[in-house]
Amino acid sequence: MQLRLDKYLADMGVGTRSEAKRYIRRKQVTVNGLPPKGPEQKVIPGKDQIVFQGKPLPYLEYEYFMLNKPKHCVSAVTDRRYKTVIDLITESNRRDLFPVGRLDIDTEGLMLITNDGILAHQLLAPGKHVPKTYYARVEGRVTKEDVREFAKGLDIGEKKPVLPAELRILADDGGTSLPEQSSEIELTIMEGKFHQVKRMFEAVGKHVTYLKRISMGGLMLDHALLPGEYRKLTEAEINLLKNQRKAVDGKEKL
Ligand code: URA
């Protein structure tokens, strides 16, 4: 693959195409140690050595970040009112990053941010049934009966009931650490319907007061990340997501 030098620089987050052209004109870029002929010069990512302001600028086709989404931040690329999950990724200026799926504004936790549209599609497409696990605090006592109802597949007002989900009670109001009449649970769902977790609890007459996603497709939220913090995925984590994708695809063919 060959691409124009100004596009290479813009893809790597140096700035817009016009800013990239300006850097080239100001001699802040070299290609294989030489000043380029101009912004239109073709370069081969991975082969030609591009140096920007004295530092090597390798071409990364795809980038993958794990963010611990905080509250009051929206799962969008841009927003006129609120900070977005993309605004929090300050380490990369590339313009093609997007969040994989959505969390409500008041939901915290694991958000995958990438520019890999194929992986995103494989993780999100309806029918892929990628597991997503949430931790929640719920008003009222979550019971074994609720666990059975969730395992059957609840009617949350969609055309069809949602798929069976695994509900685990971590603590109920018998414990001392919780406010009265509340429970702590983990729930694994295989779909991503709008407000799905909250609506599943409403369907059994209970209200979610705190929600956090802790895993998606085998990728676990790093406990070291405080709300608003992020890090790059490791190679192993990227492979895990890609292999999970194959596992899910494989299951579909059965
Ligand atoms: N389910 C919800 O209700 N909200 C979320 O943000 C994610 C899943």
Side-chain angles (χ1 to χ4, degrees), residues 229-247:
E229 291 183 344
Y230 70 91
R231 67 160 170 80
K232 285 192 175 190
L233 291 197
T234 62
E235 279 302 313
E237 287 169 333
I238 297 167
N239 289 334
L240 180 95
L241 284 177
K242 291 186 174 170
N243 289 331
Q244 145 85 28
R245 179 180 106 191
K246 280 185 205 128

Side-chain angles (χ1 to χ4, degrees), residues 69 75 102-108 132 134 189 191-200 208 211-213:
K69 177 192 168 299
S75 312
R102 285 179 175 269
L103 291 175
D104 298 337
I105 191 159
D106 59 349
T107 301
E108 294 184 354
K132 289 164 275 282
Y134 293 85
I189 59 176
E191 298 149 292
K193 302 213 182 293
F194 186 59
H195 296 330
Q196 182 164 339
V197 175
K198 292 173 187 162
R199 286 164 72 202
M200 288 175 82
V208 171
L211 188 59
K212 176 178 184 178
R213 182 157 62 195

Side-chain angles (χ1 to χ4, degrees), residues 141-148 167 169 172 183 206:
R141 177 176 269 182
V142 176
T143 63
K144 292 209 172 99
E145 178 55 23
D146 295 328
V147 173
R148 283 191 287 272
L167 174 60
I169 302 170
D172 55 25
S183 309
K206 293 179 180 109

